[in-house]
Amino acid sequence: MEKFLSETVVTHSLATRWLGKKCQVLPEVDSANDLLKEMVQQGSDDSPPAGFVLLTEYQRKGRGRLARHWEAPKGSSLLLSMLFRPNWPAAQANWLTMLVSLAAVEAIAAHTNLEAGLKWPNDVMVRQENSWHKVSGILQEGSFGGDGRLQWAIVGIGINVNIPADELPEGITPPTSLLAATGQSVSRLPLLCTFLERLEELYDGVGNGRSPQPLWQNKLITLGQPVRVTHHQTSNSFMGIAEATDSAGHLLVRDEAGKLHTVTAADVTLREK
Ligand code: BT5
């Protein structure tokens, strides 16, 4: 197994200006998102700054969306949660997940020979033996101020790096790891650095007025595909074709009667059919 990551090595290796310049690496936590949220909500003077990154080698209760689990064997993967204080309007809240998923796709493409893409809304996929497999998932949580702006947001990402094929977790979207997809182990530190460096660049681009949505939409393997959209509270569902996304990252799905639906990630589960 690869050496465990350490704060000194991470901060010295990173060529970022602010993202990850303050970080903490813990051998084991329940959930990196939950722990970082507690640190932020304590609200004391030593509350972590924007750009703070919490890394861990193992999560006892790693979480996905909608109370799902995220599992990875100790030391096998990249498991981290990042703190942002964007002050963006609510309509741009999903942009963080877009930026993080784009940076993950680019980092994976830079360190492997894999084709990487995105399954709406938050799955990072790689092509393995002619089909797409989930290699990474993203979980964004945050808090809006009274003015409707995104005060702070925590974005957690798990990237399956060196999980052997026979230790991959179960998943409705077939999971893989970079090791399982390439047959070679991948060094985590350079992958982490490329990811954070690219993410910082993309995030700073938003400050300069650039929306990530066109770049992100370009990577979506979901577009043009038939999908089943299921509302997870009512379980009502319909079939349609995923046509495009709007500027907020909602998916526009045309049903069989020709009606266009705006689908938000919070409300539905998507299955490719
Ligand atoms: C996600 O949720 O894909 C978001 C995963 C976010 C994980 C990070 S790790 C750091 C931070 N701290 C946390 O506690 N979480 C974040 P979702 O789209 O709901 O997918 C969850 C589903 O993926 C599960 O129901 C499983 O079927 C499957 N799954 C679990 N572990 C997996 C893995 N390692 N690789 C691929 N699929 C997995």
Side-chain angles (χ1 to χ4, degrees), residues 142-170:
S143 171
F144 292 93
D147 56 0
R149 288 178 169 264
L150 187 57
Q151 264 182 342
W152 57 261
I154 290 168
V155 191
I157 181 167
I159 305 180
N160 301 335
V161 185
N162 295 319
I163 308 183
D166 58 359
E167 290 179 37
L168 286 167
E170 305 259 301

Side-chain angles (χ1 to χ4, degrees), residues 87-243:
N87 206 29
W88 296 345
Q92 293 178 9
N94 287 340
W95 286 16
L96 275 176
T97 294
M98 292 182 193
L99 298 169
V100 171
S101 53
L102 265 174
V105 161
E106 293 186 19
I108 289 167
H111 289 273
T112 66
N113 57 4
L114 294 169
E115 191 186 345
L118 299 170
K119 177 171 172 249
W120 186 90
N122 68 329
D123 293 343
V124 182
M125 314 287 285
V126 291
R127 203 191 265 282
Q128 184 181 345
E129 290 153 11
N130 274 333
S131 63
W132 290 98
H133 289 63
K134 177 165 172 171
V135 75
S136 166
I138 295 161
L139 177 65
Q140 176 176 337
E141 299 173 291
S143 171
F144 292 93
D147 56 0
R149 288 178 169 264
L150 187 57
Q151 264 182 342
W152 57 261
I154 290 168
V155 191
I157 181 167
I159 305 180
N160 301 335
V161 185
N162 295 319
I163 308 183
D166 58 359
E167 290 179 37
L168 286 167
E170 305 259 301
I172 306 160
T173 307
T176 193
S177 68
L178 301 182
L179 169 64
T182 62
Q184 285 169 343
S185 60
V186 173
S187 185
R188 293 180 303 159
L189 182 64
L191 180 69
L192 173 70
C193 291
T194 306
F195 166 70
L196 291 173
E197 286 157 16
R198 186 61 186 130
L199 178 55
E200 180 180 278
E201 212 176 315
L202 287 163
Y203 187 98
D204 287 346
V206 174
N208 297 325
R210 264 196 301 278
S211 161
Q213 188 244 347
L215 278 178
W216 172 78
Q217 174 166 295
N218 233 352
K219 295 284 178 198
L220 279 182
I221 60 174
T222 313
L223 297 188
Q225 300 297 316
V227 292
R228 173 171 295 280
V229 179
T230 307
H231 195 284
H232 54 72
Q233 268 169 353
T234 61
S235 292
N236 288 340
S237 76
F238 68 91
M239 285 288 298
I241 304 283
E243 278 193 356

